[in-house]
């Protein structure tokens, strides 16, 4: 059996493009971060006083608000988030959940404290497509100790339907 290779003109698919621009980290009064609480750090990013983390521009986060122990991250579902099956890639959903859960812990940090995620347990409940519209991810600290914190995040579509949920354990350090 002979197989022929397709010629270039047999696979002409419509294309789209996207340019991502971000603010380079470490700009502004970067040393001031060391004198701020976690909530003050997040609010300075929220207010444009410090650059946003590049990942927010990479995935096209359009909204971010922080209160102590609670964070909201918003992003519109878009084609460039898709997996091969035509829905939002699970990694994009997990990134939103991890951001909201982690930043909710970040918002509780005292001056001089840092944190890192230890785990993220994610439950995908329904498909997300461009028809899902604006996604709203809320992260909340469930328990904050001296060395660890437990947080959760819920991701809802524009209609308010729960599409994914996650819990995260974080280690807190000086």
């Amino acid at each position: 059996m002979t197989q022929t290779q397709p010629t270039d003109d047999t696979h002409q698919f419509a294309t789209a493009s996207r340019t991502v621009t971000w603010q380079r980290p470490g700009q502004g009064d970067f040393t001031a971060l060391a004198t701020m609480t976690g909530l003050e750090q997040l609010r300075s990013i929220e207010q444009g006083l410090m650059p946003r983390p590049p990942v927010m521009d990479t995935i096209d986060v359009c909204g971010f608000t922080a209160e102590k122990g609670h964070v909201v991250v918003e992003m519109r579902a878009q084609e460039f988030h898709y997996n091969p099956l035509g829905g939002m890639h699970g990694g994009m959903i997990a990134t939103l959940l991890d951001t909201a859960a982690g930043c909710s812990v970040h918002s509780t940090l005292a001056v001089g404290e840092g944190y890192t995620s230890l785990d993220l347990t994610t439950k995908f409940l329904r498909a997300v497509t461009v028809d899902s519209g604006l996604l709203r991810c809320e992260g909340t600290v469930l328990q904050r100790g001296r060395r660890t914190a437990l947080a959760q995040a819920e991701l809802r579509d524009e209609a308010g339907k729960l599409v994914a949920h996650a819990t995260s354990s974080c280690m807190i350090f000086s």
Side-chain angles (χ1 to χ4, degrees):
M1 179 194 280
T2 305
Q3 291 192 1
T4 59
Q5 295 295 324
T7 60
D8 287 352
D9 59 355
T10 60
H11 289 98
Q12 293 185 10
F13 300 112
T15 62
S17 66
R18 176 173 177 262
T19 302
V20 178
T21 305
W22 64 91
Q23 299 167 335
R24 301 204 55 204
Q27 298 183 84
D29 189 3
F30 195 68
T31 58
L33 287 177
T35 66
M36 296 178 183
T37 66
L39 182 58
E40 290 168 336
Q41 291 171 354
L42 293 175
R43 286 194 173 152
S44 95
I45 292 168
E46 181 183 341
Q47 296 165 3
L49 302 172
M50 297 298 292
R52 288 167 29 126
V55 70
M56 293 176 88
D57 296 309
T58 301
I59 65 172
D60 209 18
V61 167
C62 62
F64 181 85
T65 57
E67 299 173 16
K68 189 168 185 170
H70 184 81
V71 168
V72 176
V73 182
E74 293 179 322
M75 181 179 82
R76 188 159 295 285
Q78 298 181 61
E79 265 185 0
F80 64 85
H81 297 134
Y82 275 19
N83 62 26
L85 298 175
M88 183 179 277
H89 191 283
M92 287 290 165
I93 294 169
T95 298
L96 277 173
L97 292 163
D98 183 56
T99 299
C103 285
S104 72
V105 172
H106 189 139
S107 72
T108 69
L109 299 177
V111 173
E113 284 185 320
Y115 81 100
T116 189
S117 297
L118 294 172
D119 62 32
L120 182 73
T121 303
T122 306
K123 302 295 183 194
F124 303 100
L125 305 173
R126 63 178 66 237
V128 177
T129 67
V130 294
D131 293 335
S132 301
L134 185 66
L135 303 174
R136 180 181 172 90
C137 193
E138 293 194 40
T140 306
V141 173
L142 297 174
Q143 189 275 333
R144 166 58 154 92
R146 192 171 49 84
R147 305 258 243 171
T148 61
L150 177 65
Q152 72 172 1
E154 291 186 347
L155 181 62
R156 295 182 183 277
D157 64 14
E158 196 161 357
K161 293 179 184 170
L162 185 64
V163 298
H165 177 270
T167 55
S168 177
S169 300
C170 296
M171 179 174 62
I172 299 163
F173 52 87
S174 298

